Amino acid sequence: MYSAGTTMTDGDYDYLIKLLALGDSGVGKTTFLYRYTDNKFNPKFITTVGIDFREKRVVYTANSPNGTTGKTFKVHLQLWDTAGQERFRSLTTAFFRDAMGFLLMFDLTSQQSFLNVRNWMSQLQANAYCENPDIVLVGNKADLADQREVQEKQAKELADKYGIPYFETSAATGAEVDKSVITLLDLVMKRMEQCVDKPTADGHNGEGTSKLDAAPAHEKKCAC
Amino acid sequence: MDLSLLKALEREKVLEVLHRDKILRSMEEDRIRRLKVELQDLRRRGAKSISRQYGERTCARCQKPLGRFWNTGAVCLGCSHRICGRCRVFLTRRFWRCTVCHAYREVKVKSGEWFLEERGKKFPHETAQHETIGEKLLKSHQRLGNISIVPPTPPPFQDVAKLSFSRSGNFTSSPLTKSMEDLVMSFNSHIRRISKSQSDLRADLLTVNYDRTISMSKSQSDTAISTAFILNKGPSLSNIFKKFKEWEQQTSKSLSSGALTDRDTSLSSGETRGSNSSIETDADSSGNPSVTGEIEIALAYSFNTSCLEILISACKNIMFGGFKQRKCHPYVKVYLLPDKSSGSKLKTTTKKNTTDPVFKETLQYSVERHLLASRTLHVSVWHSETLKRKFFIGEVLIPLEGWRFEDSSTKSPAWYPLQPKSDGGAVDQVVGLLLVKVKFSNPKHTSDSCSVSHEAGQLTVLVTGVQNMTGSKSGAAFVKGSLTLPGGQILSQRSPVVKKKSNLKWALQLVFSKVTLHELKESVLHLDLWDQATFSLSERLLGTARLQGAPSWQALQQMPSVWHSFSLALCTSINTRKP
């Protein structure tokens, strides 16, 4: 579905997609993104000052609606990393409005970080670009099985309640990291198409739609 | 929402991220612009022009005729044009758009326009829809920037260097490079100031300012173009072009006006402009609080080159320039009085955000040693902010009379306390002598002096020249005369303009008629000598001479109809009088 790009400094890409990682302090947002972009793991905890971002270029293959694999696009990902600390809250939430999709993260070894997912959801609702933006729920530190405090079932239920995908990842091993990001990218790409095609799909000149829908079908037979 | 709540180093870190974001953003803007240019091309190729008559039965895109029975074409949902089968792009088996509408759709998706639209629905009242929060923060920081937020003492060199080199290689904005830039700039101008003439330096400054203006308006226009292309309403090409033209004009306008203001405020390439700006700076000195601080100056005279060299070393503890914001971007301006023309004005570079600026700049006047005795060095410190009026910080007057330039011990720098602006009226200086001939004549030619004194006659004043004039020698001059009669009535006369060559005899005649000798005794005659610069309409007062008091007039009374010669002292006040 994707592969890493080589050069990052030119404008040779088709889409700029801005994603943002959020969640409590210490859940592993920075290491998660570091694993995703550089495929490396840094076990040291360095608290993020305010905001930061990482970039990655991937190739996205669109699945066209009729089932066949469609065109491929170069996508430039801007992955915003936010400080989980409360004191940066006003700064970080301000950046929510510019992101097209969100990685809402919690720490599988911290019940509290999971409980706070609710608060983060309401923050998103208030500050994101729309009422129901594309979000992926990510339970990180899945490798630390013996310290686990949040059960998969619990988290899955919450994700279902919000109607968003859920992944259990490990920045340390890299498990599910790529998959969760690509799932979010896919959601955003689909949302994008929907947004553009919506006006006619809803049929703001509905009368014409049915009439014109028939026209091309007729046309085909005419072998033009 | 701004960055003022953060600690200095945190802010530095965040700003570094924002600058990185800015680079990505400009790359993205370039890409979007390219997309839109391509779209325009496509649109232009497929546009039906108004001038040509098209039949109903042609494809709006390729203009090929459409058949009556097959290849009849169908109306595109996007643009309502009839489109042939080839100019369609199918999104699903049945759902299609014409090529141009499809391209619009593509651009809308690829440019992120969809996102701005969606967000616009949720936050309809936000003014700058296209502006990202990073952009906003960066802008607001730059606006307030370096003034109230940035700590007065920059963080230690090493810290900053580490910070900016460890992250992603964007050094454009870090204070380190900024100060380096400043350093290089001041170094350059320093060198030039010594080696080249002043006008050259001014020109250099001009180009620097131009560059800044251009880059600024360019980034503004980028955002303007993205707002201009709102695609959901299917704007026509002409519309796009119109908007394009509009913002092009706007940018060029803002560009030129920006450059003009820059020139007006900080440069003096022409004589007119220079004097304008100094009048402006002079005007703004009213009502300033108590003056503090000192300035370190060293004076030397180079006998080899006949140059007075003034080393403006530093200032300390000067007051802030702005009333409200506590900011200070000081520079030092020097005149060699009594000449207050732009030719006599020299300036240092402007230092940013400091009340203890270090200039270490040498300013030079090419002047003969023996003429220095009558000169006074006028050194003033000003606060300069782009597009704002200059603000007076303090000044010091150093009379050069008796200065022992031959003694090397006088060359060492000395600290002078800054003074409030002096009231010019008190400090009159003689700049030369005005040679005049005055005659009172009576048309009736009566010899009786007693009756003459009550009869109206005419006073003729002939200005024949100047002597020992300091200051500029070129150009042209004229004299304005005003005779103030005892009743307060003022008779004014203006002479024609004469070429101001020092040795040439003038004959500028002013005639005041219908005055009596009796009135003259208590009258005051003011003669203002004005300088008119070549190729310009600007006028500058060189000095004022006065003829008053009984003794002067008595001679006229005793011997009417005869020329009486006077050598009147031409005075100038440090305060400039306006024309």
Side-chain angles (χ1 to χ4, degrees), chain A residues 48-53 80-83 91-92 95, chain B residues 13-14 17-18:
Chain A
T48 304
V49 176
I51 43 135
D52 196 359
F53 71 84
W80 284 96
D81 186 11
T82 59
L91 180 72
T92 54
F95 278 79
Chain B
K13 216 160 181 174
V14 168
V17 171
L18 294 183

Side-chain angles (χ1 to χ4, degrees), chain B residues 93 142 214 316 409 469 475:
Chain B
R93 191 183 277 257
Q142 279 160 354
I214 287 163
K316 65 182 180 193
S409 68
M469 190 75 186

Side-chain angles (χ1 to χ4, degrees), chain B residues 213 217 220 249-259:
Chain B
T213 334
S217 33
Q220 274 168 356
Q249 277 168 359
Q250 275 169 5
T251 38
S252 66
K253 244 187 243 165
S254 72
L255 213 155
S256 56
S257 70

